[in-house]
Amino acid sequence: MTRSEIIVIMGLMAFAVRALPQLFFVGRKFPPAWDRLLRYLSYAFICSIVSITLFMSGARFEAGAAPRRGLALAAAIFVAHKTKSAVTGMIVGALLVLVASRIR
Amino acid sequence: MLFGARFCQGMRAAVPILIAFVPSSIAWGIAAQAHGLTLHEILLMSALVYSGPAQFAVLAPLAEGKSALQVLIAGFLMNLRFLPMSMTLAPFFRGVKRLPLALASHVVSASSFIVPYLQFEKERESNSTEVAALDGHGNLAFFVGVGASSFLVWTAGTGVGYGVALGFPPGFEEALKFILPGYFAGLLVVEMRSRAMALVCLASLIAAVPGALLSPGWGWLISAILTALLGWGWETRR
């Protein structure tokens, strides 16, 4: 299956999840507990992907780059928390990881 | 009716979303280019999937040529959060025919859900209107005003991001690789509501690498599901 085909199928699945409740579940309520579970799942997925994007290359742990990327991630999180701005955190982290990779 | 006053009101209400979408869409475009996706694939995904977190979730597995099933499951699980959003909005579109409803639902996203929902609730309370007496067509026009403008900015922004990434000189790969995970980590921290959620995030962050080492294809996915279930179970029992 090509990447474009996967993207099209993914788009159709996303459309189904968006459209079906509008068409068939009007007036029904989603249980709050399930709503919370879906939010937990989204957050856990995002964090897992942050981790594997930064620390893994295929099936290999990038031991050489992990310390500077971990440090940059911690800095990005700290700055985002303090400034309440994800963009500021991202810029600080990206600059830090760039400088650290040049110093190495 | 659709492009009338309510549609324009929706577009005006979307301005904060549009401002937030510019950096995130550009960041995604940059990251997608760095992962080797073509402009055509980037625009296709933004237009069809239209979900920052889901697009982020599938970027690495898609670029690395992982199984289609894994990519689709990851994307589907991320997009499941649209179910309750779509269901919550549905009563406000009373009387609208199914085709326009289905077409409009494509622009449901976290941001384009919150703004119309709060607006509809506010209007209902101020007018003391019952759900049965809502102006479904007017509400749909407002929702499309918010959703369509956000959708256009997101899709165009990812294309711009692709162009921006092409302009980076060699040696910036480390920073490019960091942009999207750094942005999403920051976004989570800013939006974090509870201690349980913070623990789930931290546990997922830590468990993903051993999970991926144990099973390169599915380990991170399984570890994320287990961590979310544990956090949910813990919070539900409290």
Side-chain angles (χ1 to χ4, degrees), chain B residues 120-189:
Chain B
F120 300 156
E121 279 293 329
K122 194 172 77 181
E123 286 170 356
R124 193 171 66 170
E125 280 171 20
S126 63
N127 300 332
S128 302
T129 313
E130 291 298 318
V131 175
L134 289 169
D135 171 20
H137 290 91
N139 285 344
L140 185 72
F142 180 90
F143 169 73
V144 173
V146 174
S149 50
S150 309
F151 172 80
L152 286 174
V153 167
W154 172 262
T155 308
T158 56
V160 170
Y162 175 86
V164 169
L166 285 179
F168 275 105
F172 278 77
E173 294 83 5
E174 271 290 301
L176 289 181
K177 189 168 183 176
F178 186 85
I179 282 177
L180 206 57
Y183 180 73
F184 271 97
L187 213 56
L188 287 186
V189 170

Side-chain angles (χ1 to χ4, degrees), chain A residues 3-4 14-15 17-19 22-23 33 36 40 42 44-45 47-49 51 53 62 68-69 77 90 93-94 102, chain B residues 36 40-41 49-50 57 77-79 81-82 86 102 105 108 171 174 177 179 196 201 204-205 221 224 232 235:
Chain A
R3 284 206 300 228
S4 292
F15 180 69
V17 169
R18 285 176 168 121
Q22 297 276 349
L23 301 179
R36 267 204 318 278
Y40 271 88
S42 297
F45 275 136
C47 290
S48 290
I49 293 154
S51 189
T53 307
E62 293 198 284
R68 66 169 177 271
R69 289 180 189 167
I77 289 171
M90 173 194 79
R102 294 288 168 92
Chain B
H40 150 81
E41 289 167 340
V49 180
Y50 181 47
L77 289 173
M78 288 300 294
N79 284 333
R81 70 210 159 88
F82 293 135
S86 203
S105 68
V108 169
E174 271 290 301
K177 189 168 183 176
I179 282 177
C201 286
S204 309
L205 202 68
L221 202 65
W232 178 67
E235 202 199 29

Side-chain angles (χ1 to χ4, degrees), chain B:
Chain B
M1 179 68 191
L2 194 62
F3 291 97
R6 285 288 275 169
F7 179 83
C8 296
Q9 191 191 358
M11 283 183 75
R12 282 196 300 275
V15 169
I17 304 175
L18 306 185
I19 294 168
F21 268 24
V22 169
S24 53
S25 59
I26 291 176
W28 191 81
I30 291 172
Q33 197 280 336
H35 276 82
L37 263 67
T38 64
L39 180 62
H40 150 81
E41 289 167 340
I42 288 171
L43 291 176
L44 189 69
M45 199 192 286
S46 293
L48 292 183
V49 180
Y50 181 47
S51 161
Q55 288 177 232
F56 173 49
V58 301
L59 192 54
L62 195 65
E64 288 168 11
K66 295 269 170 66
S67 80
L69 186 65
Q70 189 194 331
V71 174
L72 293 173
I73 287 177
F76 179 70
L77 289 173
M78 288 300 294
N79 284 333
L80 270 180
R81 70 210 159 88
F82 293 135
L83 264 179
M85 292 179 196
S86 203
M87 210 178 263
T88 309
L89 283 175
F92 294 99
F93 303 141
R94 200 175 168 277
V96 178
K97 287 187 177 161
R98 285 188 168 186
L99 183 63
L101 263 186
L103 292 174
S105 68
H106 181 61
V107 293
V108 169
S109 71
S111 311
S112 62
F113 157 73
I114 293 168
V115 172
Y117 177 71
L118 294 178
Q119 175 74 18
F120 300 156
E121 279 293 329
K122 194 172 77 181
E123 286 170 356
R124 193 171 66 170
E125 280 171 20
S126 63
N127 300 332
S128 302
T129 313
E130 291 298 318
V131 175
L134 289 169
D135 171 20
H137 290 91
N139 285 344
L140 185 72
F142 180 90
F143 169 73
V144 173
V146 174
S149 50
S150 309
F151 172 80
L152 286 174
V153 167
W154 172 262
T155 308
T158 56
V160 170
Y162 175 86
V164 169
L166 285 179
F168 275 105
F172 278 77
E173 294 83 5
E174 271 290 301
L176 289 181
K177 189 168 183 176
F178 186 85
I179 282 177
L180 206 57
Y183 180 73
F184 271 97
L187 213 56
L188 287 186
V189 170
V190 172
E191 291 182 1
M192 198 79 72
R193 287 175 196 164
S194 67
R195 188 167 287 183
M197 193 67 92
L199 285 173
V200 165
C201 286
L202 186 65
S204 309
L205 202 68
I206 295 168
V209 169
L213 288 171
L214 282 172
S215 169
W218 297 91
W220 67 272
L221 202 65
I222 293 165
S223 72
I225 292 171
L226 289 177
T227 313
L229 284 172
L230 281 173
W232 178 67
W234 180 61
E235 202 199 29
T236 308
R237 274 173 181 267
R238 271 200 311 160

Side-chain angles (χ1 to χ4, degrees), chain A residues 65-98:
Chain A
R68 66 169 177 271
R69 289 180 189 167
L71 185 69
L73 180 65
I77 289 171
F78 178 76
V79 172
H81 178 65
K82 286 287 171 196
T83 61
K84 301 281 174 223
S85 163
V87 176
T88 312
M90 173 194 79
I91 292 170
V92 170
L95 287 174
L96 191 65
V97 82
L98 186 66

Side-chain angles (χ1 to χ4, degrees), chain A residues 30-68:
Chain A
F30 209 76
W34 287 97
D35 192 17
R36 267 204 318 278
L37 174 63
L38 293 179
R39 195 168 298 134
Y40 271 88
L41 273 174
S42 297
Y43 275 59
F45 275 136
I46 291 173
C47 290
S48 290
I49 293 154
V50 164
S51 189
I52 59 160
T53 307
L54 287 179
F55 304 123
M56 299 289 291
S57 177
R60 189 173 51 84
F61 177 62
E62 293 198 284
R68 66 169 177 271

